[in-house]
Amino acid sequence: MSDQQIIDSAEPAAVEEAFVIEARALTKKFGEIDAVRGIDLTIPKGRCIGLLGPNGAGKTTTMRMIMGLTRPTSGSVTVLGEEASRLPRSTRARIGLVPQDNNLDPDLSVRQNLEVFGRYYGLLPAEINERVPQLLDFMQLSQRAKSPVMGLSGGMQRRLILARAVIGNPDLIILDEPTTGLDPQARVMIWRQLLVLKNQAKTLLLTTHYMDEAERLCDDIVLIDNGRILDQGTPRELIRRHVKPQVIEIRKPLPRHLPLSQTEDLGDSVLLFVDDAEAVIRGMPAETSFQHRPANLEDVFLRLTGRQLREN
Ligand SMILES: Nc1ncnc2c1ncn2[C@@H]1O[C@H](COP(=O)(O)OP(=O)(O)O)[C@@H](O)[C@H]1O
Ligand SMILES: [Mg+2]
């Protein structure tokens, strides 16, 4: 299928959706601020894509353009074969959204929040009655079904928003920082549910600050900063492309005679990227204080931007 066929949504019935999301040269200006400076993104069906970048990188703006909530300054974006800013209701019903900010209805109970969305997605009352208890169970919220939303912890609210996003059994789920600010346990629980959704062949697009988790869940990672894509690929590809496989973090002062071809200075310590960590460690004085680990995505990001991702 040619690009033109995919972009052209004049005959949607005839177009097989090769890409669930297709963004071309997307830009967004807010006054003087270039929030997004030309993003191209194609997301095939059934993939889990992680959009990673520090605060202010342009992740939310990109997602809001994909969701049709913000109009691009230039460029185009189609979702499920339709232009994002003009999604027909039938297409909208196939998309589940988890916005960055909790936007639950505080006056309604947990169960009522789900019921309202079930109706919004066009489910029949019988379907709602079947689906709501299943989702409450799936997100471990059954005990809180009658609680007002205001009384829920942050983790519970995020789980409820995720339940709400999937009540219509969407094909595509877009999640903006589903786990930011949660304690590790709550985070693990959400990521576990995302894995279940992924195994149901849903297409997932998410942003996160947590590289380790993204590395485990996402098929592809898109690293963005300053409104631009720095690089994209599988976590392994990105690591192989940008850093040596082993990292030795050494506390300063550094011993002499280290191979300093690839390093990052962290202030009181230095990351040393090497092919053969054992050999380097054998050559270091016994009193050297160091840690040794495989290279990860966070290292890639640090190499590409000179910044650490977790800035919040
Ligand atoms: N509604 C807005 N008005 C003005 N500036 C905005 C608005 N939304 C985002 N920005 C700016 O655009 C840039 C990208 O923001 P955002 O997309 O929220 O980044 P991220 O989600 O990666 O943290 C930031 O500089 C931010 O301050
Ligand atoms: Mg954001």
Side-chain angles (χ1 to χ4, degrees):
M1 180 177 290
S2 74
D3 284 353
Q4 192 49 47
Q5 277 174 295
I6 298 160
I7 294 166
D8 185 1
S9 57
E11 292 174 15
V15 177
E16 168 62 11
E17 291 155 1
F19 294 115
V20 173
I21 295 172
E22 181 157 38
R24 291 277 172 230
L26 267 190
T27 72
K28 182 71 187 183
K29 274 179 186 283
F30 293 107
E32 296 288 290
I33 298 170
D34 285 303
V36 174
R37 304 172 191 240
I39 284 199
D40 291 287
L41 205 59
T42 48
I43 301 183
K45 213 182 263 185
R47 302 284 281 183
C48 175
I49 311 293
L51 213 55
L52 305 190
N55 287 332
K59 303 182 298 293
T60 295
T61 306
T62 300
M63 280 200 158
R64 286 176 58 82
M65 289 191 279
I66 290 170
M67 298 179 204
L69 299 174
T70 298
R71 269 184 185 272
T73 303
S74 64
S76 67
V77 52
T78 61
V79 180
L80 296 164
E82 306 278 353
E83 193 189 311
S85 59
R86 288 186 296 174
L87 292 184
R89 200 181 164 86
S90 57
T91 306
R92 216 165 258 292
R94 296 173 57 197
I95 307 170
L97 300 182
V98 174
Q100 183 168 347
D101 300 315
N102 289 346
N103 62 346
L104 295 160
D105 190 328
D107 298 327
L108 300 182
S109 70
V110 167
R111 180 198 298 274
Q112 286 165 336
N113 263 278
L114 292 182
E115 288 169 349
V116 166
F117 258 67
R119 287 195 287 275
Y120 170 78
Y121 278 115
L123 301 187
L124 300 170
E127 291 172 315
I128 293 176
N129 287 338
E130 187 189 335
R131 201 101 173 98
V132 167
Q134 284 172 354
L135 281 172
L136 290 173
D137 186 47
F138 177 55
M139 293 296 168
Q140 299 185 26
L141 289 167
S142 301
Q143 310 241 334
R144 305 301 294 262
K146 292 183 185 146
S147 307
V149 159
M150 270 185 295
L152 299 183
S153 68
M156 287 179 190
Q157 293 201 14
R158 282 323 255 170
R159 264 145 52 205
L160 178 56
I161 289 179
L162 188 51
R164 191 185 70 176
V166 298
I167 192 163
N169 198 21
D171 300 318
L172 166 65
I173 308 163
I174 299 177
L175 310 102
D176 196 355
E177 300 197 15
T179 57
T180 294
L182 301 185
D183 62 58
Q185 255 179 324
R187 224 163 67 204
V188 165
M189 195 190 274
I190 290 207
W191 283 84
R192 207 180 292 146
Q193 309 306 1
L194 294 182
L195 204 55
V196 173
L197 294 169
K198 181 184 164 172
N199 291 335
Q200 292 169 359
K202 308 274 185 212
T203 307
L204 299 178
L205 173 64
L206 60 97
T207 68
T208 178
H209 287 285
Y210 303 109
M211 293 238 144
D212 46 343
E213 294 167 327
E215 215 169 312
R216 247 174 280 150
L217 184 74
C218 298
D219 303 306
D220 285 295
I221 301 285
V222 179
L223 292 176
I224 77 171
D225 196 11
N226 295 316
R228 286 205 181 88
I229 294 179
L230 299 174
D231 200 5
Q232 54 189 311
T234 66
R236 273 161 182 250
E237 280 168 0
L238 290 172
I239 292 167
R240 204 175 318 128
R241 210 175 292 152
H242 295 286
V243 290
K244 296 188 176 185
Q246 302 285 319
V247 184
I248 310 170
E249 181 169 352
I250 307 172
R251 280 190 82 79
K252 290 181 182 173
L254 291 190
R256 291 160 183 261
H257 309 306
L258 288 175
L260 297 176
S261 66
Q262 204 178 71
T263 60
E264 286 296 334
D265 195 327
L266 298 183
D268 51 5
S269 64
V270 171
L271 300 181
L272 204 64
F273 295 88
V274 296
D275 289 311
D276 183 355
E278 299 300 334
V280 177
I281 289 166
R282 271 198 304 274
M284 297 194 304
E287 67 275 14
T288 313
S289 172
F290 70 93
Q291 281 186 316
H292 166 214
R293 60 170 173 80
N296 60 36
L297 272 181
E298 196 125 18
D299 298 319
V300 173
F301 198 83
L302 192 59
R303 282 299 288 173
L304 290 179
T305 67
R307 291 199 275 164
Q308 271 172 307
L309 195 58
R310 247 172 262 186
E311 296 187 327
N312 49 341

